[in-house]
Amino acid sequence: QVQLVESGGGLVQAGGSLRLSCAASGRTFSSYAMAWFRQNPGKEREFVATISRSGSTTYYADSVKGRFTISRDNPKNTVYLQMNSLKPEDTAIYYCAAGMVVTTTPRYGYWGQGTQVTVSS
């Protein structure tokens, strides 16, 4: 099992940057592929980015490619999402997820409770 806690969300103007963090429990963090999803009320959960266990493989949604960077620090049991050049359409609750394989679908076994990101014009 793994427990995930997101942090770093907040209010930022368009064009600004935020760095989200996801802290995982235990010493088995490196056993999991990690991902970020986002969701707005009444909408489906949307894939944002994912990273393999070692950090050697990453995938990004087309909507964030070139602006967002996912990374992980296994000794700190933490995964990050660096978000640059933010747009109002990036506004959402961002969720951290952990799973057995890298996938762009929401087939992850563990989820955090989310952190709100709001981008103003």
Side-chain angles (χ1 to χ4, degrees), residues 38 40 63-64 67-68 83-94 117-119:
R38 64 189 183 186
N40 282 301
S63 59
V64 307
R67 300 187 297 119
F68 290 11
M83 305 185 295
N84 298 327
S85 301
L86 283 162
K87 304 175 181 179
E89 51 262 45
D90 294 319
T91 295
I93 299 175
Y94 283 71
V117 172
T118 302
V119 184

Side-chain angles (χ1 to χ4, degrees), residues 59-78:
Y59 295 99
Y60 296 91
D62 289 342
S63 59
V64 307
K65 196 173 300 180
R67 300 187 297 119
F68 290 11
T69 302
I70 188 171
S71 62
R72 66 191 299 160
D73 187 337
N74 286 343
K76 293 183 178 180
N77 289 355
T78 303

Side-chain angles (χ1 to χ4, degrees), residues 34-39 44-52 57-65 68 70 81 90 92-95 97 101-108 111:
M34 303 295 296
W36 289 94
F37 288 76
R38 64 189 183 186
Q39 189 171 25
E44 294 290 316
R45 190 160 294 189
E46 176 189 14
F47 168 75
V48 176
T50 188
I51 188 167
S52 62
T57 302
T58 59
Y59 295 99
Y60 296 91
D62 289 342
S63 59
V64 307
K65 196 173 300 180
F68 290 11
I70 188 171
L81 185 67
D90 294 319
I93 299 175
Y94 283 71
Y95 296 91
V101 298
V102 172
T103 178
T104 61
T105 64
R107 294 176 59 87
Y108 290 84
W111 296 84

